[in-house]
Amino acid sequence: MRVFLLFLLAFLCSEFSAQSVSGTISSIDGQSIPFASIYIKELTTGTTSNAQGIYSLRLDKGEYHIYFQALGFARKEIKIVVSNEDIEMDITLQEQDYRLKEVKVYSGKEDPAYAIMRKSISLAPYFQQQVKRYNADVYLKGGFDMHKIPLIMRKQLKEEGIEQGQNYVSESVNKIKFTLPNQYEHIQVSKRSSIPNDSEDQVMGFLNYSFYDVDNEDLISPLSRKSFSFYKFQYIGFFKQGDYYVNKIKVIPKRKNQKLFSGYIYIVDQLWNIHSVNLSNTQFFGTIKVKQVQEQVKERVWLPVSHLFDVDVKLMGFKLKANYSGSVDYHDIELNDAVIVPESVLIAYGGMEEEKSDSIPQLSKNEKKIEALLQKDDLSNRDMLKLTRLVNKEKKEEKEESLEIEDWGNNYKVVKDTVKRDSVQWDVIRPIPLSDNEINSFNKSDSINMSLRSAEGDTTKAFNNHKNRSLFSKVISGNHSFSKDSALQISYPGLINLKAFDFNSVAGFSYMQTMEARWKLDTIHHLTVQPYLKYAFAQEQLTWKLENKYYFAPLQRGVLSLSAGQWFSDFNDESGTHPLLNAMSSLFFKENYLKLYQGNYIKGAFDIDIVNGLQFSAGLKHARYIELENSTDFALAYPSRSYEPNNVVSNVDSTYFNSRSSNSFSASLHYTPKNYYKIVHGRKVMQYSDFPTVTLSYRGAFDFGNTEMSNYNLMELRIRQELDWNFMYAFKYDLGIGKFFNVGEMHFSEFKHFNTSEIPVSFKQWHNGFVLLNDYEYSSNDWFIQGHLNYKSPYLLLKNLPFLQNKLWNENLYIHFLTNEKILNYNELGYGISDILLVGSVGAFVSFENTSFKMWGVRVAIAMQGLF
């Protein structure tokens, strides 16, 4: 105990020995400046004031140079000496005066901003790669004000701990380890939060986002090499800060799009690196504002020292305002020796005086080209792209190209609450003071936690309504549970969920229950077992199936699966009508689209990557296909109407619906050259390729002399690809050809079925399916050729109208064609708007057969299939 007390005393003394430097940052008219940036030169530490303009620093004895700045205000440098007393020091910032420098005006009267941006864009690869590794201590604080909750959601969210009119806040101390090219290891040292079920994973992702990451397709940086296709730039002026001049440039998106920014970017003259940004990004749910200030934390190295993210959310009756601010302290910064510092940049830093010119190493051929381009004041777009390629290529060590994409999330790990701190200790270490609302939020949360712990008599339990739900609630609405060592995870969707209830004309009403058990055999190998039970009330029959998967070779995507059951299935089981939509159509319109059979089966399958990009799949199946009839005529409307028979399809002989047995084998090869991938939690996840995917597949059944069993052979060749350019425009194609050989008897489920959407509303995408083609009618057991083309653009037709230009939708053109023994030269043409609230699509389609008009229709799609 004595040793412990001495240790505790030493720890507290170390934290409290520092002196406080605090005050308020305001403008000359007395208005406080929220989230102003503060940088301590000697500590390479950045922080911000809070929402009320109050700042607080803890500094040991010594001399410090502290820089106070805010976007729109001139930077102020204060030199202080910290001794034994706290220092109260209010700071007044003057508005920044911007001057226009003398510039040359070339033909076309181009704005001077473009010449600056070309230099900065060209050197973005250098700035992205100049630091090999660093360590940083990060303080992160944020939360949200819940202004409005729709009435229908208030009770549910209150049970989760979120109420209208309340403020919620979280703060954490973190350690970041960065390693080139993009590896981040995040360790959360300590955390305090009043936010129920709080997680900062996504926030740390925003914090690690770099505007030099010009290949990011989710957010297009103004420094992207293709930025001139998306942005206009306007030169505002410059100001002097220390030894450097800083250019202020307005960023104007040419079109409104959720991938683009608007606002201001500040570029250091002659160095061409980012000084700071004040940008906003508009999403369907609201606006995200990003403020970031960079400082010279080491010779020739500028890194972000303070971050601010503001999010205004207005969606479906919800109104909330969230903000996160971050303070960063860098240390152990190591430069990347594999990149060459451009000579002109060294001169701008004052690192190459004329008297030292004899020691300058001889420039390489590429370096000479780089310097020649950097000396040009009128750098053209072509020169910029050439300079970007040269900077990206110029390395001392050339590395063999790898198809693995480095991902910061791979090394994201959190060590929670390794250091427990009370409110007094947080007051000492917190570099960004709490606002009044945040203090009240923590006080309220602490009171609730103390009341709960006192009532339960258990000091280890925290306020978490979700984890403390009753057994009854878990059974009704579902639950995810883990074993003590987390090796076993049980997922149960509950007695009441959208997948539990179903209706169709064959089974009538049915009720299903399922669960999933997942065993982690080690960190990367696991086994899943998922049983299903379903009772069909009209058929008075209980059906079942059991699906098992073993992931045995995660780096080769190796999966062994075994399944068996007695189950009602759709003849077009892979791409037919969704059961939920079919149930609604049957009950309310007496239109049953599904055609069903009973399959009693056992099946084994095997998948593995032979080499990267070449996947082999094979499967064996024994099945008994049993014919089913409609068993009910029930519906909530149209009592005089009858359902269509289950085993009647135009162009299909009724004998194909008869019960029969089948022994089948399938195999396929999928090849994608240069297929890039990520390693996520020890498993390979394929990402993209610049080349098409070619699939050669075989499927066949053998009767072994028994005429009551299926007998056929099918060979199929397919090629598909998605081509993206300029980050927004995309072209997809999917082409296939197939032929059946030695066809004897077979079941209708073994035909080649196509991706059709006869129902007006679907959960499908339209880029690889037939939107107006009748389900089942043109399924083939002879030969077929099909193709699908899709062009996507943010602006194509309707979005050029003034009142639609600000929408974040995309426009699409579709072309689908099919020809086989039943229909010759069938074509569909369509136009659609997609990404409505990210999930909705509306389209108009017309079809032709042999150039003759067939039909037209309007369709709606909701991309929510994974939820049902």
Side-chain angles (χ1 to χ4, degrees), residues 43-164:
L43 302 180
T44 64
T45 300
T47 185
T48 69
S49 62
N50 67 10
Q52 298 168 318
I54 300 172
Y55 76 95
S56 180
L57 307 173
R58 302 293 299 186
L59 299 174
D60 293 328
K61 294 179 182 180
E63 184 177 285
Y64 299 93
H65 293 80
I66 305 177
Y67 302 98
F68 298 87
Q69 61 182 326
L71 297 177
F73 294 88
R75 178 175 178 172
K76 189 170 187 177
E77 178 183 351
I78 301 292
K79 180 181 178 181
I80 66 170
V81 177
V82 177
S83 56
N84 294 322
E85 296 181 358
D86 293 340
I87 300 174
E88 292 188 9
M89 182 172 56
D90 292 336
I91 302 297
T92 301
L93 299 182
Q94 296 185 348
E95 291 189 8
Q96 181 71 67
D97 291 328
Y98 294 97
R99 292 177 285 172
L100 292 174
K101 62 181 179 180
E102 238 181 79
V103 295
K104 298 178 182 178
V105 179
Y106 303 99
S107 60
K109 298 181 180 180
E110 182 182 63
D111 191 288
Y114 287 87
I116 297 170
M117 291 304 297
R118 288 190 185 98
K119 296 285 182 70
S120 189
I121 291 169
S122 300
L123 290 174
Y126 162 70
F127 294 124
Q128 187 179 16
Q129 301 172 18
Q130 70 174 145
V131 176
K132 185 175 183 180
R133 63 172 59 91
Y134 64 72
N135 294 330
D137 296 319
V138 179
Y139 170 81
L140 190 63
K141 178 174 72 68
F144 61 92
D145 292 306
M146 180 57 75
H147 295 302
K148 186 177 180 180
I149 301 175
L151 185 62
I152 192 173
M153 295 294 295
R154 288 180 188 174
K155 182 178 179 181
Q156 179 181 345
L157 288 180
K158 186 175 182 179
E159 293 177 353
E160 297 291 332
I162 298 177
E163 298 183 61
Q164 182 172 294

Side-chain angles (χ1 to χ4, degrees), residues 660 703 705-710 745:
R660 70 174 56 255
D703 59 14
N706 187 343
T707 57
E708 295 183 358
M709 300 187 71
S710 296
E745 299 297 330

Side-chain angles (χ1 to χ4, degrees), residues 613-751:
L614 179 62
Q615 184 184 40
F616 173 72
S617 302
L620 284 170
K621 181 179 180 181
H622 171 74
R624 175 67 180 173
Y625 304 119
I626 300 174
E627 184 177 358
L628 296 174
E629 302 286 350
N630 286 341
S631 59
T632 182
D633 204 43
F634 175 81
L636 298 176
Y638 304 100
S640 61
R641 185 182 297 174
S642 296
Y643 289 112
E644 292 185 359
N646 182 59
N647 297 316
V648 175
V649 174
S650 299
N651 295 330
V652 179
D653 193 314
S654 61
T655 59
Y656 290 115
F657 296 95
N658 294 341
S659 300
R660 70 174 56 255
S661 298
S662 176
N663 292 312
S664 61
F665 169 75
S666 61
S668 61
L669 283 172
H670 312 267
Y671 180 55
T672 309
K674 289 192 175 181
N675 202 347
Y676 290 85
Y677 63 89
K678 289 182 180 180
I679 303 299
V680 181
H681 303 302
R683 294 189 292 273
K684 179 188 285 188
V685 179
M686 310 311 295
Q687 296 297 307
Y688 69 89
S689 173
D690 296 327
F691 297 89
T693 297
V694 179
T695 300
L696 178 64
S697 59
Y698 166 83
R699 175 163 57 89
F702 310 94
D703 59 14
F704 301 108
N706 187 343
T707 57
E708 295 183 358
M709 300 187 71
S710 296
N711 185 29
Y712 67 90
N713 295 274
L714 168 64
M715 292 293 298
E716 187 174 357
L717 178 65
R718 180 184 179 189
I719 180 171
R720 63 189 187 277
Q721 186 179 14
E722 179 175 352
L723 301 170
D724 295 294
W725 62 94
N726 282 356
F727 301 119
M728 291 185 183
Y729 304 87
F731 177 73
K732 300 178 183 179
Y733 65 88
D734 191 341
L735 310 174
I737 182 172
K739 170 67 177 174
F740 282 85
F741 300 92
N742 303 321
V743 177
E745 299 297 330
M746 61 188 303
H747 191 251
F748 186 54
S749 65
E750 299 173 301
F751 277 43

Side-chain angles (χ1 to χ4, degrees), residues 152-183:
I152 192 173
M153 295 294 295
R154 288 180 188 174
K155 182 178 179 181
Q156 179 181 345
L157 288 180
K158 186 175 182 179
E159 293 177 353
E160 297 291 332
I162 298 177
E163 298 183 61
Q164 182 172 294
Q166 298 297 316
N167 174 273
Y168 301 90
V169 64
S170 170
E171 60 182 345
S172 63
V173 177
N174 310 269
K175 290 186 178 294
I176 299 292
K177 293 183 179 180
F178 167 80
T179 305
L180 198 69
N182 200 22
Q183 291 289 314

Side-chain angles (χ1 to χ4, degrees), residues 224-412:
S224 166
R225 61 185 180 278
K226 299 179 180 179
S227 64
F228 294 145
S229 299
F230 307 113
Y231 295 107
K232 294 186 292 183
F233 298 99
Q234 181 182 347
Y235 183 73
I236 303 300
F238 76 94
F239 61 88
K240 187 175 183 182
Q241 181 173 292
D243 297 329
Y244 305 109
Y245 292 93
V246 180
N247 300 295
K248 181 180 181 181
I249 296 173
K250 188 173 184 179
V251 179
I252 308 167
K254 291 184 177 180
R255 301 277 191 172
K256 188 172 182 180
N257 189 281
Q258 60 194 19
K259 295 185 178 184
L260 300 179
F261 293 96
S262 62
Y264 298 92
I265 186 169
Y266 299 79
I267 303 296
V268 182
D269 199 49
Q270 301 303 313
L271 301 181
W272 314 118
N273 64 277
I274 295 174
H275 169 274
S276 51
V277 299
N278 184 10
L279 298 169
S280 63
N281 170 260
T282 302
Q283 297 289 328
F284 75 97
F285 55 80
T287 301
I288 304 172
K289 297 179 181 178
V290 182
K291 292 183 180 180
Q292 184 187 90
V293 175
Q294 301 199 12
E295 289 284 355
Q296 188 176 353
V297 297
K298 188 174 181 177
E299 183 183 2
R300 305 196 309 271
V301 177
W302 294 63
L303 292 174
V305 294
S306 64
H307 302 261
L308 175 65
F309 302 96
D310 271 318
V311 185
D312 282 316
V313 176
K314 295 180 181 178
L315 179 68
M316 300 177 66
F318 285 94
K319 289 185 179 180
L320 64 93
K321 186 170 184 177
N323 69 78
Y324 273 87
S325 52
S327 168
V328 188
D329 176 12
Y330 294 96
H331 47 92
D332 301 326
I333 300 172
E334 181 181 344
L335 294 179
N336 180 16
D337 295 332
V339 296
I340 303 296
V341 184
E343 179 182 359
S344 57
V345 172
L346 283 175
I347 294 174
Y349 275 114
M352 292 186 65
E353 297 85 350
E354 291 184 5
E355 60 269 20
K356 296 182 181 180
S357 59
D358 293 339
S359 62
I360 299 175
Q362 185 68 29
L363 296 181
S364 68
K365 183 178 180 181
N366 281 337
E367 289 177 286
K368 291 179 180 178
K369 293 179 180 179
I370 290 173
E371 295 309 322
L373 289 170
L374 284 174
Q375 295 305 318
K376 296 177 67 173
D377 291 327
D378 56 340
L379 201 67
S380 66
N381 287 349
R382 184 176 180 181
D383 291 335
M384 179 194 70
L385 294 175
K386 183 178 180 180
L387 180 54
T388 303
R389 287 194 296 269
L390 289 170
V391 172
N392 217 2
K393 182 180 178 182
E394 185 58 45
K395 297 181 181 180
K396 289 183 178 179
E397 295 179 7
E398 292 292 336
K399 295 184 179 180
E400 184 180 352
E401 181 182 7
S402 173
L403 296 176
E404 181 179 351
I405 301 172
E406 303 288 352
D407 184 10
W408 73 269
N410 293 345
N411 287 332
Y412 180 93

